[in-house]
Amino acid sequence: MLKSVVFLLRCNSNRIVRDQVRYASQALPQLSSEKYNVKRKQFGTVQESDINYFKSILSEERVLTDENDVLPFNIDWIKNCRGQSKVVLKPRNTEEVSKIIKYCNDKHLAVCPQGGNTGLVGGSVPVFDEVVLCLGLLNKIISLDEISGVLICEAGCILESLDTYVRERNLIMPLDLGAKGTCQIGGNASTNAGGLRLLRYGNLHGSILGIEAVKADGTVIDCLTTMKKDNTGYHLKHLFIGSEGTLGIVTKVSINCPVLPKAVTVGFFGVKDFQSVLKLYESAKLSLGEILSAFEMADFNAINSSVTNLNLPNPIDEYPFYVLVETHGSDEGHDAEKLNRFLDKEMESGLIIDGTVTSEPAKMQTIWNLRESIAGSSLTRGYVFKYDVSIPLGNYYDLVPMLRKKLGNKALDVYGYGHIGDSNIHINIVVPEYTKEIGSQIEPYVFEEVSKLNGSISAEHGVGFRKPQYIHYSKIESALDLMRELKTLMDPKGILNPYKVLPEK
Ligand SMILES: Cc1cc2nc3c(=O)[nH]c(=O)nc-3n(C[C@H](O)[C@H](O)[C@H](O)COP(=O)(O)OP(=O)(O)OC[C@H]3O[C@@H](n4cnc5c(N)ncnc54)[C@H](O)[C@@H]3O)c2cc1C
């Protein structure tokens, strides 16, 4: 039965108020244009007449121009990038988005689309004075077909709110990430976000069935199919999934939601070295089969960062490596038995030194918190260089000891954690403060090494503002040329999220 509902989800205004308080009491990050020596492209500059036009199609309160109101939209989550936008627009529906984009295209005004602003590569904030297009008010659920599991919603819906909504109807969202309380489904689509359960439910190129998007000239492209099978020519949705707002503005998505697992079990294990982590992964796939939904690893320093900086409890002792295994199944007794059998077997083999298995929601949450909090746990210690790369499993962890050796005591901490099941490792390097000197020791070194290992310099966070100059480590020139041709075709004036994704020729 197709339930047609219009359901208003929580908008992120609370977060914005909080952020304003936060920025008021802290030093502002350096301007991105100065920090990274970028030249402004020849776009128009927003004039009073433009503001008046925006107010005429939105309303006074949905056009922000006050410096304090605009500030949080200029700064990214890790406080690495700061733009200089003077105006934030808050459309409420596709039609308003279309009018804004058409107007900006005609006036040659650059636009930076922004979802939850949790992106980690500087793609979500302007570099100069781009108009910020805040998608947070496009927050309606349009329909949920409880039989097929297909949800249609607007781009500004917050991932966690969607998950809560579909869980009440025995479904789950096919993706889950640490930023779920703030990130938006449109941002997830635009970054092709991966997250914690990609191993089980696949990536968004598969889960997202259809997309409605607004092109740079304001045309609305309605490809909002709900069909899993639709081989009618080119699959246009893929152009918008993962293109980070450079080819169009995502306004709606239809997404396939898996069934809510009746039984969820989480195991958290201490392991002596990285080779044991790999062997354990192999064994988990064999022992747990189709119920394996996540296989995450973190080294001691990563977990210790959550424990020490955020005061989070670690349910087991201290070990060089930790593994988090989650199962999603339909029979609690059967699944827990399988996981316990796996634990017994591998404790006997010595791969697991210590561990805990639980199906209690509160305990599972404690374990997941420990893992999900790693990403933000060091931000108060100084500046964090964050890398999100994929590396074939045999060499997955190589870079962490290499970086520790290379940086010595210049780094306060270097640690690795990530989604083993997807060959995706996050490497965080904590330094007292950002300096160009330390930056040049780390980059392009990290990307060169990833390339030598046949990995990807961006596994799931995208290219954004921070990585275009390194994209060639993972994409050959002919592929980059085709990307440029697509960009020119879809956004001839280059107004959509300039300075992002594509490197200068
Ligand atoms: C604590 C934490 C944990 C994280 N964990 C993960 C993880 O496990 N896996 C993962 O993949 N990422 C992770 N991230 C990164 C981030 O949450 C994802 O990239 C997320 O998908 C971004 O969504 P957002 O709504 O915040 O988008 P934003 O950060 O606002 O934007 C991201 C990019 O998409 C563009 N964009 C946003 N909305 C639209 C739209 N409607 N139309 C067109 N373009 C748009 C922006 O211009 C920008 O280029 C994490 C981040 C944090 C802070």
Side-chain angles (χ1 to χ4, degrees):
M1 178 188 42
L2 183 75
K3 279 207 176 154
S4 213
V5 281
V6 176
F7 184 74
L8 268 178
L9 291 178
R10 192 182 79 209
C11 101
N12 51 8
S13 54
N14 287 344
R15 175 180 68 83
I16 290 162
V17 172
R18 258 202 343 261
D19 284 353
Q20 279 171 5
V21 174
R22 188 154 58 98
Y23 293 126
S25 61
Q26 284 180 12
L28 294 176
Q30 195 182 352
L31 290 175
S32 303
S33 56
E34 290 171 1
K35 190 166 174 179
Y36 298 104
N37 197 17
V38 188
K39 285 211 164 56
R40 187 181 182 279
K41 293 187 177 176
Q42 288 192 328
F43 294 110
T45 308
V46 176
Q47 308 291 325
E48 197 56 42
S49 55
D50 303 320
I51 300 288
N52 289 338
Y53 174 77
F54 295 138
K55 285 182 178 166
S56 76
I57 54 166
L58 303 176
S59 57
E60 192 98 5
E61 70 279 6
R62 289 193 284 126
V63 179
L64 309 185
T65 51
D66 180 276
E67 209 178 312
N68 289 328
D69 292 341
V70 173
L71 183 64
F73 297 87
N74 269 317
I75 299 176
D76 69 342
W77 189 81
I78 47 173
K79 298 192 214 77
N80 177 52
C81 295
R82 178 155 67 101
Q84 304 162 56
S85 182
K86 304 272 183 289
V87 57
V88 176
L89 304 179
K90 297 176 139 191
R92 249 197 311 235
N93 54 46
T94 305
E95 200 192 344
E96 289 180 352
V97 173
S98 164
K99 280 185 184 159
I100 292 168
I101 297 297
K102 182 180 181 334
Y103 181 86
C104 289
N105 194 48
D106 291 346
K107 297 274 177 174
H108 205 207
L109 295 173
V111 177
C112 174
Q114 190 175 98
N117 197 11
T118 65
L120 297 173
V121 285
S124 53
V125 289
V127 179
F128 290 94
D129 54 348
E130 297 89 281
V131 171
V132 175
L133 187 74
C134 164
L135 278 309
L137 296 181
L138 274 83
N139 57 2
K140 293 176 211 71
I141 290 178
I142 295 161
S143 66
L144 175 67
D145 182 334
E146 291 182 27
I147 296 176
S148 68
V150 178
L151 170 79
I152 303 182
C153 65
E154 290 184 323
C157 291
I158 290 171
L159 178 61
E160 191 171 49
S161 309
L162 290 176
D163 196 54
T164 305
Y165 178 82
V166 297
R167 269 173 195 273
E168 284 160 6
R169 290 147 183 92
N170 288 321
L171 298 164
I172 55 169
M173 292 302 284
L175 77 160
D176 185 14
L177 40 145
K180 58 179 164 272
T182 310
C183 66
Q184 300 171 5
I185 195 70
N188 301 148
S190 304
T191 53
N192 185 25
L196 306 163
R197 302 207 174 95
L198 189 135
L199 176 68
R200 173 71 179 273
Y201 300 111
N203 75 18
L204 290 178
H205 282 284
S207 308
I208 290 184
L209 303 176
I211 273 193
E212 178 194 83
V214 174
K215 265 177 58 194
D217 63 1
T219 313
V220 179
I221 307 288
D222 182 350
C223 289
L224 210 53
T225 179
T226 55
M227 295 294 110
K228 281 189 189 151
K229 289 187 169 177
D230 176 20
N231 278 351
T232 49
Y234 308 140
H235 282 217
L236 297 176
K237 66 172 183 178
H238 295 301
L239 289 173
F240 303 103
I241 300 172
S243 53
E244 301 178 60
T246 59
L247 297 183
I249 310 296
V250 175
T251 44
K252 292 190 185 95
V253 300
S254 68
I255 187 161
N256 191 38
C257 300
V259 170
L260 176 74
K262 285 203 188 107
V264 180
T265 311
V266 169
F268 190 61
F269 310 129
V271 176
K272 74 170 189 297
D273 54 26
F274 181 67
Q275 280 315 310
S276 304
V277 174
L278 284 187
K279 286 187 192 149
L280 210 52
Y281 175 50
E282 209 182 349
S283 165
K285 283 199 291 181
L286 286 171
S287 308
L288 303 170
E290 76 295 341
I291 62 169
L292 182 63
S293 58
F295 191 101
E296 301 280 306
M297 85 97 204
D299 64 19
F300 168 78
N301 292 32
I303 290 293
N304 192 44
S305 181
S306 284
V307 171
T308 334
N309 300 323
L310 304 175
N311 244 339
L312 295 179
N314 177 355
I316 60 176
D317 280 340
E318 295 184 346
Y319 296 99
F321 288 87
Y322 296 90
V323 164
L324 188 161
V325 176
E326 185 194 66
T327 61
H328 275 186
S330 55
D331 183 329
E332 192 177 321
H334 170 259
D335 296 352
E337 197 182 304
K338 259 183 150 178
L339 196 51
N340 275 316
R341 221 179 308 131
F342 166 72
L343 174 63
D344 288 346
K345 177 175 160 239
E346 297 308 354
M347 281 192 89
E348 205 165 301
S349 74
L351 284 182
I352 295 176
I353 315 173
D354 185 9
T356 174
V357 170
T358 179
S359 296
E360 277 181 46
K363 287 189 180 155
M364 290 194 291
Q365 195 51 52
T366 303
I367 294 171
W368 269 119
N369 268 351
L370 196 58
R371 160 64 186 88
E372 289 181 276
S373 304
I374 298 171
S377 61
S378 289
L379 291 178
T380 50
R381 291 180 71 197
Y383 181 83
V384 187
F385 287 90
K386 289 169 102 44
Y387 298 96
D388 152 55
V389 295
S390 46
I391 299 177
L393 286 179
N395 300 100
Y396 180 90
Y397 192 70
D398 289 5
L399 257 175
V400 177
M402 282 160 74
L403 281 161
R404 282 184 186 144
K405 192 163 169 220
K406 185 174 170 62
L407 298 172
N409 58 12
K410 284 184 197 141
L412 297 174
D413 208 351
V414 179
Y415 50 83
Y417 61 100
H419 320 294
I420 280 273
D422 316 327
S423 296
N424 176 193
I425 182 164
H426 299 303
I427 301 174
N428 286 8
I429 303 168
V430 189
V431 293
E433 61 175 341
Y434 174 87
T435 63
K436 285 209 162 112
E437 192 230 324
I438 188 113
S440 64
Q441 268 194 278
I442 301 171
E443 296 175 15
Y445 173 78
V446 168
F447 304 121
E448 281 166 0
E449 293 305 319
V450 169
S451 179
K452 280 186 212 158
L453 295 170
N454 297 318
S456 166
I457 63 141
S458 176
E460 60 178 7
H461 295 162
V463 179
F465 169 66
R466 289 286 289 108
K467 292 189 184 171
Q469 69 274 38
Y470 304 119
I471 197 172
H472 64 276
Y473 287 108
S474 293
K475 278 263 182 326
I476 57 168
E477 201 49 41
S478 56
L480 286 174
D481 281 342
L482 182 56
M483 284 167 67
R484 288 190 185 98
E485 284 168 29
L486 277 170
K487 172 74 176 171
T488 307
L489 179 75
M490 295 182 68
D491 177 19
K493 294 185 180 173
I495 62 154
L496 294 178
N497 227 2
Y499 321 103
K500 318 281 171 63
V501 181
L502 284 167
E504 292 301 320
K505 188 80 171 152

